[in-house]
Amino acid sequence: MLAATVEQRAPHMLESVRPEEVVTQPYAHYARQNAVPSDVYQQLEAEFPGLDTILNGRAEAGSNVAVRLTVKQVLGDRRFSPLWREFFEYHTSGDYWRHVTRLFGNHLRSEFPDLEEKIGRRFEDWRVVPRGFAGEADIRLDCQFVMNTPVRQVTSVKTPHVDLCDKIFSALFYFRDSRDQVSGGDFDIYRWRREPRFIKHRSLDRDVELVKTLTYAPNSYACFVNSPLAIHGVSPRGITDIPRRYINFIAELPFKAFEPKQLNRLQQMWYSKEISAAVQDDKY
Ligand SMILES: [Fe+2]
């Protein structure tokens, strides 16, 4: 007898979240474990592309480096399963953006009070195009397969920082391999101890305080409004042959939404040792 196969539909990450579940401190974010039903998670995990596919012919990038495939590379490529292509298509669509703005519209509004006027439309009505595709858009959405390559010396893939200033909403969906037993690789949320000041997009460790850690666990999800307040980082990861796996979600404007205030020259001289430590591991 043929085994019955259940056709899975791609999960919609924010569809069932209620606005009151959004946490506002130290900046607007939402996180949960067991983000999607376990049967669909298992299928997504089984069909998650391998490191070779993600490297896409490039030589291995080095120890604990982020390598990725974007929506532009994934949609229409039959090497990726129908379930994954549907997942990427949905999370770069106007339907997905409606849920982002249903939950985060007011938070975006208070963080970026001039943005709707500048665009000429309410956040909820913005025209959406997947990143890398042609077409008039107010916001471009990306969905990416990401792996942090095997770790040969204990490092953080990314110390405390905010995402690039043309990004206003970011999310992560973790696919930790069950054989991966090393500690670290968790998502750390920080708050400022003082007025924000940056070296490019990074903060000095002395300026920020760890508020919350979201464990790098299978089927866990986090999202946040990116702004000068949105300091986050990845905790140092132990030595392992197993890549750290996740889906990265990006919402990108055609211009900068904010300008991270840089340390002045005197401060740069004063903290030069800490700055070189912060910038040294700026790998992408
Ligand atoms: Fe980031």
Side-chain angles (χ1 to χ4, degrees), residues 66-137:
V67 291
R68 62 192 74 219
L69 288 176
T70 66
V71 67
K72 169 86 171 151
Q73 294 168 293
V74 169
L75 285 189
D77 186 334
R78 299 178 77 88
R79 288 179 303 164
F80 306 105
S81 72
L83 184 63
W84 269 121
R85 280 183 280 136
E86 188 192 328
F87 185 95
F88 274 57
E89 191 174 3
Y90 174 74
H91 292 97
T92 52
S93 72
D95 287 347
Y96 165 69
W97 182 249
R98 287 331 135 222
H99 285 287
V100 172
T101 53
R102 176 179 63 81
L103 297 165
F104 289 94
N106 286 339
H107 302 290
L108 287 164
R109 219 161 269 132
S110 62
E111 211 51 64
F112 306 110
D114 306 327
L115 215 43
E116 291 173 300
E117 203 182 337
K118 187 166 176 180
I119 297 278
R121 286 184 186 81
R122 285 168 53 81
F123 286 110
E124 288 81 352
D125 302 325
W126 281 9
R127 296 163 305 170
V128 174
V129 170
R131 191 159 170 250
F133 286 79
E136 288 247 328

Side-chain angles (χ1 to χ4, degrees), residues 158 161-163 187 224 232 284:
K158 205 132 192 214
H161 67 282
V162 296
D163 288 349
F187 185 82
F224 60 92
H232 61 279
Y284 60 96

Side-chain angles (χ1 to χ4, degrees), residues 1-7:
M1 200 172 92
L2 283 171
T5 51
V6 181
E7 273 286 306

Side-chain angles (χ1 to χ4, degrees), residues 205-224:
D205 287 348
R206 66 169 61 233
D207 289 349
V208 297
E209 179 181 9
L210 181 63
V211 174
K212 190 193 239 183
T213 291
L214 311 168
T215 309
Y216 173 52
N219 197 9
S220 53
Y221 171 84
C223 63
F224 60 92

Side-chain angles (χ1 to χ4, degrees), residues 11-264:
H12 295 180
M13 298 310 290
L14 292 172
E15 205 169 66
S16 60
V17 180
R18 299 186 314 274
E20 59 270 25
E21 293 178 279
V22 173
V23 178
T24 57
Q25 296 302 323
Y27 46 85
H29 70 278
Y30 166 79
R32 67 165 294 176
Q33 307 254 313
N34 300 314
V36 303
S38 63
D39 53 347
V40 68
Y41 178 79
Q42 278 166 26
Q43 186 176 339
L44 288 167
E45 189 191 16
E47 295 171 358
F48 201 103
L51 182 57
D52 284 351
T53 307
I54 293 184
L55 283 169
N56 208 14
R58 287 165 296 171
E60 209 211 277
S63 166
N64 203 14
V65 173
V67 291
R68 62 192 74 219
L69 288 176
T70 66
V71 67
K72 169 86 171 151
Q73 294 168 293
V74 169
L75 285 189
D77 186 334
R78 299 178 77 88
R79 288 179 303 164
F80 306 105
S81 72
L83 184 63
W84 269 121
R85 280 183 280 136
E86 188 192 328
F87 185 95
F88 274 57
E89 191 174 3
Y90 174 74
H91 292 97
T92 52
S93 72
D95 287 347
Y96 165 69
W97 182 249
R98 287 331 135 222
H99 285 287
V100 172
T101 53
R102 176 179 63 81
L103 297 165
F104 289 94
N106 286 339
H107 302 290
L108 287 164
R109 219 161 269 132
S110 62
E111 211 51 64
F112 306 110
D114 306 327
L115 215 43
E116 291 173 300
E117 203 182 337
K118 187 166 176 180
I119 297 278
R121 286 184 186 81
R122 285 168 53 81
F123 286 110
E124 288 81 352
D125 302 325
W126 281 9
R127 296 163 305 170
V128 174
V129 170
R131 191 159 170 250
F133 286 79
E136 288 247 328
D138 302 312
I139 189 96
R140 288 194 137 76
L141 303 182
D142 206 346
C143 187
Q144 306 174 334
F145 288 115
V146 188
M147 278 191 185
N148 299 156
T149 55
V151 182
R152 293 191 280 279
Q153 72 191 84
V154 177
T155 45
S156 162
V157 71
K158 205 132 192 214
T159 54
H161 67 282
V162 296
D163 288 349
L164 297 179
C165 16
D166 57 352
K167 316 288 189 288
I168 57 169
F169 182 76
S170 305
L172 301 158
F173 182 18
Y174 285 150
F175 282 81
R176 184 180 187 138
D177 190 313
S178 58
R179 297 165 303 160
D180 180 355
Q181 297 299 325
V182 295
S183 62
D186 303 321
F187 185 82
D188 289 332
I189 288 184
Y190 295 85
R191 73 169 190 85
W192 285 100
R193 289 196 167 108
R194 45 155 296 134
E195 282 294 295
R197 59 176 184 182
F198 294 88
I199 312 115
K200 296 179 183 165
H201 290 80
R202 295 194 187 227
S203 59
L204 291 176
D205 287 348
R206 66 169 61 233
D207 289 349
V208 297
E209 179 181 9
L210 181 63
V211 174
K212 190 193 239 183
T213 291
L214 311 168
T215 309
Y216 173 52
N219 197 9
S220 53
Y221 171 84
C223 63
F224 60 92
V225 171
N226 188 51
S227 78
L229 295 179
I231 292 282
H232 61 279
V234 181
S235 61
R237 201 159 165 258
I239 291 168
T240 176
D241 284 335
I242 299 168
R244 181 170 178 267
R245 299 188 297 190
Y246 61 97
I247 299 298
N248 191 35
F249 307 78
I250 289 172
E252 183 183 87
L253 287 167
F255 51 80
K256 288 180 180 180
F258 60 94
E259 198 65 64
K261 187 172 184 291
Q262 300 294 303
L263 266 75
N264 66 38

